[in-house]
Amino acid sequence: MSAVKGFIAAFSGGCVFLGALYILVPEGKLSKAVKYTVSLCFLCVILSAATVSCNASFPEFTVKDGDFDSERLSADSARLVFEGALTSAGINFSKITVFTDKTEDGGINIIEVYVYTDASSEAVAAVIGSGSYKLVVVNG
């Protein structure tokens, strides 16, 4: 029964306060915006009175960090970078495959990059070649 009394007290107090504000709303261009704001406040009063009176407990939200260190994500990111570099250099390709490996300290290294293209190996190596990974150009 105390829950009902608490709801009635909170609801009545909120209505009296918002009613007084509603009476003070100026006439003119601003009246619609102020009335809209008062209506939103009224809705909040009803919702807060309902949650206080029924002792509602809301579940806690947990935020889970995404696994952005995964090999697949790193390989896909590297593939997109290689695609952009080859496209901007004017080299046509049909597919790029990136192979990665995890290091002992948890890092991710690119070990091989396969590029399927009709361009020469030298042209592709000039754009995306590096000494840190093996570049394989497959013509076909």
Side-chain angles (χ1 to χ4, degrees), residues 4 9 11 14-15 23-24 26 38 46 55 58 64-65 86 89 98 104 108 113 126 131 133:
V4 174
F11 181 77
C15 287
I23 291 171
L24 297 175
V38 170
I46 292 174
N55 295 328
F58 296 104
K64 182 179 178 185
D65 292 332
L86 290 174
V98 178
E104 293 175 2
I108 297 174
V113 178
Y133 55 85

Side-chain angles (χ1 to χ4, degrees), residues 45-125:
V45 164
I46 292 174
L47 291 176
S48 66
T51 57
V52 167
S53 65
C54 64
N55 295 328
S57 61
F58 296 104
E60 291 191 24
F61 295 103
T62 58
V63 178
K64 182 179 178 185
D65 292 332
D67 184 18
F68 292 110
D69 294 330
S70 70
E71 289 183 60
R72 183 174 156 215
L73 181 63
S74 296
D76 288 342
S77 299
R79 183 183 49 79
L80 289 173
V81 169
F82 292 143
E83 285 178 3
L86 290 174
T87 302
S88 67
I91 297 175
N92 295 324
F93 58 91
S94 61
K95 182 179 171 184
I96 296 177
T97 306
V98 178
F99 296 97
T100 59
D101 189 23
K102 279 197 170 185
T103 61
E104 293 175 2
D105 62 349
I108 297 174
N109 288 336
I110 298 172
I111 54 173
E112 284 185 328
V113 178
Y114 280 72
V115 179
Y116 297 87
T117 181
D118 289 333
S120 67
S121 299
E122 293 80 19
V124 174

